[in-house]
């Protein structure tokens, strides 16, 4: 749906992800965990759709690069007590967000 040429359909898909995983989450930590879980359980086509949705959410400012969800995703990605799969999924979500806004990654990388 997010790849639809009909803007209203694409916007509805983005809004659904926002409501289900971001604004509907109990906390930014829960939102980050939910996005990572979706990323880890998705097939290639679903990952492409998730990436497109995240790009649109970041571009729209609903997921700011220095916001709570991104900070919580970084915390999950770097948590020593998280499983390797959870950490990898969190890094996948961060890479998807960084495709639109490199500032998601830049503060965490030494040049």
């Amino acid at each position: 749906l997010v790849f639809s040429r009909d803007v209203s359909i694409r916007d509805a898909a983005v809004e659904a992800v926002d409501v289900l995983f971001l604004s509907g989450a109990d906390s930014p930590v829960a939102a980050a965990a939910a996005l990572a879980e979706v990323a880890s359980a998705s097939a290639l086509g679903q990952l492409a759709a998730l990436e497109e949705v995240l790009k649109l959410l970041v571009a729209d400012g609903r997921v700011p690069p220095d916001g709570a969800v991104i900070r919580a995703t970084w915390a999950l990605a770097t948590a020593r007590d998280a499983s390797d799969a959870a950490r990898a999924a969190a890094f996948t979500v961060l890479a998807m967000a960084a495709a639109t806004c490199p500032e998601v990654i830049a503060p965490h990388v030494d040049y």
Side-chain angles (χ1 to χ4, degrees):
L1 296 176
V2 73
F3 296 117
S4 175
R5 291 185 184 179
D6 185 331
V7 175
S8 63
I9 293 173
R10 183 183 66 226
D11 290 348
V14 173
E15 184 65 26
V17 171
D18 188 4
V19 169
L20 289 171
F21 297 105
L22 300 173
S23 61
D26 291 336
S27 67
V29 172
L35 288 172
E37 178 65 30
V38 169
S40 70
S42 294
L44 187 58
Q46 295 162 327
L47 284 171
L50 179 61
E51 180 172 15
E52 185 65 19
V53 168
L54 283 172
K55 285 181 185 178
L56 293 169
L57 288 167
V58 170
D60 192 34
R62 293 196 243 180
V63 178
D66 59 348
V69 172
I70 295 297
R71 287 193 310 269
T73 306
W74 271 109
L76 176 60
T78 58
R80 300 259 185 242
D81 60 338
S83 70
D84 289 344
R87 293 176 66 196
F91 276 117
T92 299
V93 170
L94 291 167
M96 290 175 177
T100 294
C101 185
E103 290 80 15
V104 168
I105 303 284
H108 301 275
V109 177
D110 292 330
Y111 295 98

